[in-house]
């Protein structure tokens, strides 16, 4: 699932000049790495790769600079880009077996990277401090019983709404929020508010709310054995919910939002509510500083299956091909990402909450008002019953593209809801080898 704000995918590749000069000793442009290794004076160079926009880059560069000051024998060589550029570069690096020592993992690629055998097992890394996590939590992080990745952050799907608009229009969301009650509320709001706003954007492409919707029906998006688990009926019910909302005039039109995937900067002032990931409020509320945004758990079906809530873990890993003499330094860098309050104060919660709730407690006094909303949601969902959730299998990377294609057909009137659901299940099942 995508853990970036809606506009990040529109940004182009960033250069060092675009994020400002920081005192990293061995800075390299993404894609221009000179490779890691042991340097003069006994220092070790570790290549670290991540993605994001300009503000995230600046924050993490400052964090890596601090790490190098605290660990004078380790130099960090950063490699970064926007989400799309990052994935393209990783594909090239994997083919050349020239992967960074420590790297973030895009959500559709967790099992793809595993199958490419680029994860190093982590159990024997002496400098990797996992004391903040219980054995049960570590078991939750394992993939097929092996601890070869760790969560760098976590988040959940939410419904975010503009409280300023709510106050201006004298409305409030239903206390008990079901998919039916939300649809009725958004439709009524769109018809009756004086400013001509819409209830929401057309958002059937939102992946994490889609997965929550399926889980409420007792289904899953992916199965334990790496297959598409969503049924045609489940997919059709999701698309139909959005179609009924769109036809009722409760969403921005496809032309108003310039396609199936709207840009937040274009629609944020036009709608009352939107679906998002719980961390997105940090960056996206900042785009409209005159408004107050709040968020709450996504709607639930009246007969929702137990344990449908889930926390998504955005993962990172150590490269399987790392030289033995760099493992300890890479482990220290991973520990720093997992446990450092200093790093968390620099990077904040725009990429999600830390997987350690104790670290989150320590951070909360310095959190911004919008970050406190992320913290509240994180605690709320973490306390919920959660049945197992499975990662996207290898070959599934294009499933969102398939969904968008089918949604375009439906909204243009070229494809029925049932046919779109059938097409989606058939295409994605084929791609993952069902």
């Amino acid at each position: 699932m995508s853990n970036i704000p809606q506009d990040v995918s529109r940004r182009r590749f960033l250069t060092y000049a675009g994020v400002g000069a920081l005192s990293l000793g061995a800075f390299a442009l993404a894609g221009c790495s000179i490779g890691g290794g042991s340097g003069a004076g006994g220092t070790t160079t570790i290549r670290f790769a991540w993605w994001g926009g300009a503000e995230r880059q600046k924050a993490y560069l400052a964090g890596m600079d601090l790490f190098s000051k605290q660990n004078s024998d380790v130099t960090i060589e950063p490699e970064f880009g926007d989400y799309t550029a990052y994935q393209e570069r990783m594909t090239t690096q994997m083919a050349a077996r020239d992967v960074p020592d420590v790297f973030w993992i895009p959500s559709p690629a967790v099992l793809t990277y595993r199958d490419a055998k680029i994860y190093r097992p982590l159990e024997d890394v002496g400098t990797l401090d996992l004391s903040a996590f219980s054995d049960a939590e570590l078991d939750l992080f394992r993939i097929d019983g092996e601890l070869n990745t760790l969560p760098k952050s976590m988040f959940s799907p939410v419904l975010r709404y503009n409280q300023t608009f709510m106050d201006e229009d004298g409305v409030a969301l239903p206390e008990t929020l079901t998919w039916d009650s939300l649809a009725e509320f958004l439709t009524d709001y769109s018809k009756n508010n004086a400013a001509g706003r819409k209830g929401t954007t057309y958002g059937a492409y939102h992946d994490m709310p889609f997965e929550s919707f399926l889980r409420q029906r007792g289904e899953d998006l992916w199965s334990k054995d790496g297959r598409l688990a969503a049924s045609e009926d489940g997919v059709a019910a999701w698309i139909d919910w959005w179609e009924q909302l769109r036809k009722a005039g409760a969403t921005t039109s496809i032309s108003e939002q310039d396609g199936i995937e709207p840009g937040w900067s274009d629609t944020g002032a036009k709608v009352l509510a939107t679906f998002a990931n719980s961390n997105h409020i940090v960056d996206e509320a900042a785009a409209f500083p005159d408004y107050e945004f709040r968020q709450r758990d996504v709607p639930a079906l009246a007969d929702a299956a137990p344990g449908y809530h889930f926390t998504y873990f955005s993962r990172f890993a150590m490269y399987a091909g790392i030289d033995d003499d760099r493992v300890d330094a890479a482990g220290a860098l991973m520990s720093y990402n997992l446990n450092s309050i200093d790093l968390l104060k620099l990077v904040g919660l725009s990429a999600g909450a830390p997987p350690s709730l104790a670290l989150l407690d320590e951070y909360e006094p310095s959190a911004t008002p919008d970050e406190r909303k992320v913290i509240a949601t994180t605690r709320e969902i973490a306390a919920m019953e959660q049945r197992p959730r499975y990662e996207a299998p290898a070959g599934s990377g294009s499933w969102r593209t398939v969904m968008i294609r089918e949604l375009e057909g439906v909204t243009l009137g070229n494809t029925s809801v049932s046919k779109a659901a059938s097409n989606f299940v058939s295409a994605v099942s084929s791609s993952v080898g069902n």
Side-chain angles (χ1 to χ4, degrees):
M1 309 324 148
S2 172
N3 65 333
I4 54 176
Q6 295 173 30
D7 284 348
V8 168
S9 62
R10 300 172 186 267
R11 298 174 186 143
R12 298 282 30 101
F13 188 74
L14 298 169
T15 65
Y16 176 52
V19 296
L22 292 168
S23 57
L24 281 163
F27 192 92
L29 290 178
C32 300
S33 168
I34 60 172
S38 297
T43 62
T44 300
T45 298
I46 297 298
R47 295 165 58 194
F48 177 43
W50 75 99
W51 66 76
E55 291 304 313
R56 184 180 297 173
Q57 305 307 347
K58 289 171 64 177
Y60 269 90
L61 286 172
M64 294 307 102
D65 190 43
L66 179 60
F67 173 81
S68 290
K69 289 177 179 177
Q70 294 175 350
N71 300 268
S72 58
D73 57 343
V74 181
T75 297
I76 304 301
E77 184 178 295
E79 302 181 16
F80 60 82
D82 73 14
Y83 189 65
T84 300
Y86 179 93
Q87 294 181 85
E88 292 170 350
R89 187 181 70 240
M90 280 292 292
T91 299
T92 301
Q93 290 174 327
M94 287 166 59
R97 307 307 289 182
D98 185 33
V99 176
D101 300 306
V102 178
F103 55 93
W104 287 12
I105 309 169
S107 58
V110 174
L111 298 187
T112 299
Y113 287 6
R114 180 205 62 183
D115 291 352
K117 303 185 185 306
I118 68 167
Y119 300 149
R120 186 195 187 282
L122 300 172
E123 301 273 13
D124 66 339
V125 180
T127 54
L128 181 54
D129 180 6
L130 300 176
S131 60
F133 306 104
S134 67
D135 289 342
E137 287 172 320
L138 292 177
D139 285 341
L140 189 62
F141 303 157
R142 298 178 195 275
I143 298 176
D144 293 338
E146 184 174 49
L147 190 66
N148 52 19
T149 69
L150 288 167
K152 63 176 181 62
S153 62
M154 58 185 184
F155 44 85
S156 301
V158 295
L159 180 71
R160 188 178 64 226
Y161 54 94
N162 189 318
Q163 185 62 45
T164 304
F165 290 172
M166 292 270 194
D167 294 340
E168 289 177 359
D169 297 322
V171 298
L173 287 165
E175 184 174 344
T176 300
L177 196 63
T178 66
W179 292 96
D180 287 343
S181 67
L182 177 61
E184 181 180 359
F185 172 81
L186 294 175
T187 300
D188 288 344
Y189 176 82
S190 301
K191 291 178 179 178
N192 298 315
N193 76 88
R197 303 178 184 115
K198 296 298 179 67
T200 187
T201 55
Y202 177 81
Y205 73 94
H206 281 294
D207 51 359
M208 292 183 67
F210 170 52
E211 186 170 359
S212 179
F213 183 86
L214 290 172
R215 287 168 65 87
Q216 291 174 28
R217 290 171 53 91
E219 302 181 21
D220 283 292
L221 184 54
W222 310 109
S223 68
K224 185 177 182 178
D225 61 353
R227 298 174 180 270
L228 179 69
S231 69
E232 288 186 16
D233 285 347
V235 177
W238 169 255
I239 298 174
D240 187 62
W241 187 85
W242 283 101
E243 270 301 279
Q244 296 303 317
L245 206 62
R246 183 181 70 86
K247 290 178 178 178
T251 74
T252 47
S253 69
I254 303 304
S255 59
E256 284 176 315
Q257 64 181 45
D258 194 25
I260 295 295
E261 298 180 274
W264 172 246
S265 59
D266 297 326
T267 59
K270 300 177 181 177
V271 298
L272 180 69
T274 188
F275 287 95
N277 296 349
S278 54
N279 58 301
H280 286 175
I281 194 172
V282 176
D283 290 334
E284 295 189 351
F288 295 95
D290 294 335
Y291 303 143
E292 179 193 355
F293 293 91
R294 297 181 184 177
Q295 59 189 24
R296 59 182 290 179
D297 195 6
V298 294
L301 295 172
D303 57 350
Y308 71 84
H309 285 94
F310 67 96
T311 298
Y312 177 74
F313 294 117
S314 182
R315 297 172 181 258
F316 72 141
M318 187 185 301
Y319 179 42
I322 188 173
D323 292 340
D324 289 344
D325 62 358
R326 298 208 304 277
V327 168
D328 282 348
L333 176 61
M334 294 186 77
S335 286
Y336 178 72
N337 277 265
L338 284 171
N339 302 313
S340 172
I341 187 63
D342 294 330
L343 176 64
L344 191 58
K345 287 180 177 179
L346 286 170
V347 303
L349 304 186
S350 73
S356 166
L357 292 179
L359 184 60
L360 197 63
D361 290 342
E362 187 177 0
Y363 178 74
E364 186 170 14
S366 62
T368 68
D370 286 321
E371 287 180 327
R372 290 193 179 98
K373 297 166 188 173
V374 177
I375 293 170
T377 302
T378 300
R379 288 186 175 136
E380 177 187 358
I381 302 303
M384 299 286 190
E385 176 188 0
Q386 299 186 30
R387 72 172 188 265
R389 176 192 176 273
Y390 306 106
E391 294 284 356
S396 65
S398 64
W399 80 265
R400 295 178 187 82
T401 303
V402 175
M403 174 64 85
I404 290 169
R405 182 187 68 204
E406 296 305 324
L407 295 174
E408 288 173 343
V410 170
T411 57
L412 290 171
N414 298 331
T415 308
S416 68
V417 169
S418 60
K419 181 61 175 174
S422 175
N423 290 345
F424 174 83
V425 168
S426 176
V428 178
S429 294
S430 177
S431 71
V432 299
N434 278 36

